[in-house]
Amino acid sequence: MIPPIRGTHDVVLPLDSQRWQYLERVVHGLCRRYGYLEVRTPIIERAELFEKGTGETTDIVQKEMYTFVDKGGERVTLRPEATPSMVRAFVQHSLEQHGIAKVYAMGPMFRYERPQKGRLRQFHQLDVEVFGVNDPAIDAEVIDLAWSLIVELQIPEAELVINSVGCKNDRLKFHEALLAALGDDLPKLCSDCQRRATTNPLRIYDCKVPEDQPIIDRLPHMLDYLDEPCATHFAAVRAHLDTLGIPWRISHRLVRGLDYYTRTTFEILGRTLGAQNALLGGGRYDGLVKDLGGPDRTGIGFAAGLERLVLGLPEGAGDAPVRPAFIVAIGDETREAAIGLLRDLRRAGLPALMEFEARGVKAQMKRADRAQARVTLILGGDELARGEVTMRNMENGEQTTIARASAVEAVRALMS
Ligand code: HAM
């Protein structure tokens, strides 16, 4: 057998796929309630889109992208995140002119990271974006959607953390203050932090190296360097979250690993996930649409890791199995009639199964049990001759004889 690629994952077992489908149903339902349009963008884009969009100083662009030159000489990338693609689509299709500002997508993303629990090289995200709305109420609404997702999925012990990373002007002041505060401690930090100090000092807050933490804990906080409009915006977001009844905590270290963020940033952390504890993360990105060649429109959104949501689901979530009607044909002469009944049930929208290889009644009944049939329809020579079917309620073992002509409706009544 040819082994799979490291960091990829099959969804194969019935319970697995039921959990995924349940999750997807909840996502579609919620996004519809909040007024989002589902869009689907390609998983392959020009490398430049992410280099410019996600940002040159990010780990994603520096170390993690699946980028290659295709046969036509184009440098292409398997998308590591969806936001730049969503911005591209928003601009390219002039969605604004169609009155569309809120979009979402689900699909695979690719990052060449070290695989571990909750961290894959091919993973899946729900991505949610809103374009051109400046009012802080939208920040809170986006967070509310994220929070509702976690609540509806009944993922236990989730925690919302928020921060503001300000705007370009605040950032310059803050970077100076950060470097000044680091002073002689800078050479003591890890090599990644040394690099960050010159490329994007804010990113020092992302550092996970244990020895660096006491130094980083003493550094100034971005919130103390916000200009008046950014501080007012952040205060309004917090007030709206309070109105919505969503508990939040400020994390000064929440600077997020992508370059485009401005003002509000947030994550929802799950306690049951281990080291990779971010169920979802996002924030505002007010300069990105323009930077990618579009009109000067603000943006805000988040992405949730679907594998992490599935891992966080409580036992039994979405596990309601399909309980079909099962047809048992006794003797070869009833097979065509049984197949006709199978067809009628399915065309009527009912889940129905029949076993073609096991001919004996006992063997067929065993399969009905294994398929967790809700009802079994038994068709023997006598029943066939009389235009009847025997219907067995698999929950209580009750057996009745019904007319073949009314079988579909009888099954529907029992299964509803
Ligand atoms: P991100 O924080 O890079 O943000 O990813 C969002 C979520 O995707 C994470 O919280 C995590 O649940 C999941 N995730 C990320 N990497 C992996 C991985 N290697 N394996 C499994 N799950 C992973 C973004 O991607 C931004 N585009 C979010 C955003 C949208 N900001 C504004 N709009």
Side-chain angles (χ1 to χ4, degrees), residues 60 64 66 80-81 110-113 120-121 123 125:
I60 293 180
E64 297 169 1
Y66 283 87
E81 58 141 346
F110 304 83
R111 295 184 193 176
Y112 194 81
E113 293 194 85
L120 292 151
R121 288 183 175 166
F123 59 101
Q125 281 186 344

Side-chain angles (χ1 to χ4, degrees), residues 138-263:
I138 195 71
D139 302 38
E141 191 193 85
V142 167
I143 295 173
D144 181 43
L145 170 58
W147 186 252
S148 301
L149 178 66
I150 302 302
V151 169
E152 197 146 319
L153 293 172
Q154 296 178 27
I155 296 176
E157 295 181 65
E159 185 187 26
L160 168 67
V161 287
I162 57 171
N163 194 19
S164 173
V165 293
C167 53
K168 271 201 183 114
N169 290 337
D170 312 333
R171 204 81 56 82
L172 286 178
K173 272 188 299 169
F174 181 62
H175 282 168
E176 276 171 24
L178 206 59
L179 293 175
L182 269 174
D184 296 343
D185 285 337
L186 180 58
K188 298 182 197 150
L189 293 179
C190 68
S191 56
D192 269 347
C193 281
Q194 315 259 350
R195 180 175 50 78
R196 290 169 179 139
T198 50
T199 56
N200 189 352
L202 192 66
R203 209 35 62 68
I204 288 176
Y205 274 115
D206 274 344
C207 177
K208 303 274 180 327
V209 175
E211 296 76 40
D212 290 4
Q213 301 311 309
I215 299 174
I216 296 171
D217 284 340
R218 288 197 299 271
L219 294 177
H221 295 160
M222 184 73 221
L223 287 187
D224 297 326
Y225 290 81
L226 298 183
D227 64 12
E228 215 276 315
C230 288
T232 308
H233 186 96
F234 191 50
V237 173
R238 293 187 321 254
H240 288 310
L241 289 176
D242 290 339
T243 303
L244 291 161
I246 301 173
W248 50 268
R249 171 173 72 79
I250 289 179
S251 167
H252 297 291
R253 305 221 19 189
L254 185 65
V255 294
R256 308 271 303 131
L258 303 105
D259 277 355
Y260 43 66
Y261 289 112
T262 54
R263 296 191 166 176

Side-chain angles (χ1 to χ4, degrees), residues 329-350:
I330 307 173
D332 279 352
E333 71 279 16
T334 63
R335 268 173 73 94
E336 293 312 315
I339 290 170
L341 179 54
L342 184 66
R343 173 206 58 204
D344 288 354
L345 289 166
R346 287 173 173 167
R347 302 256 154 100
L350 298 166

Side-chain angles (χ1 to χ4, degrees), residues 7 54 60 64 80-84 86 109-130 142 256-258 260-261 266-269 273 276-285 288 299-309:
T54 310
I60 293 180
E64 297 169 1
E81 58 141 346
T83 308
M86 300 289 257
M109 309 289 151
F110 304 83
R111 295 184 193 176
Y112 194 81
E113 293 194 85
R114 209 159 40 77
Q116 61 182 81
K117 185 180 175 197
R119 190 162 72 192
L120 292 151
R121 288 183 175 166
Q122 179 179 335
F123 59 101
H124 296 74
Q125 281 186 344
L126 156 67
D127 187 76
V128 170
E129 312 289 355
V130 184
V142 167
R256 308 271 303 131
L258 303 105
Y260 43 66
Y261 289 112
F266 64 95
E267 281 185 353
I268 295 183
L269 311 175
L273 291 176
Q276 299 307 314
N277 66 346
L279 291 163
L280 57 85
R284 197 167 256 287
Y285 47 88
L288 182 63
I300 178 163
F302 72 87
L306 299 187
E307 283 79 5
R308 295 187 192 177
L309 296 183

Side-chain angles (χ1 to χ4, degrees), residues 82-100:
T83 308
S85 310
M86 300 289 257
V87 171
R88 181 194 52 67
F90 172 74
V91 176
Q92 189 177 333
H93 303 285
S94 310
L95 292 186
E96 197 174 41
Q97 279 157 35
H98 296 92
I100 297 166

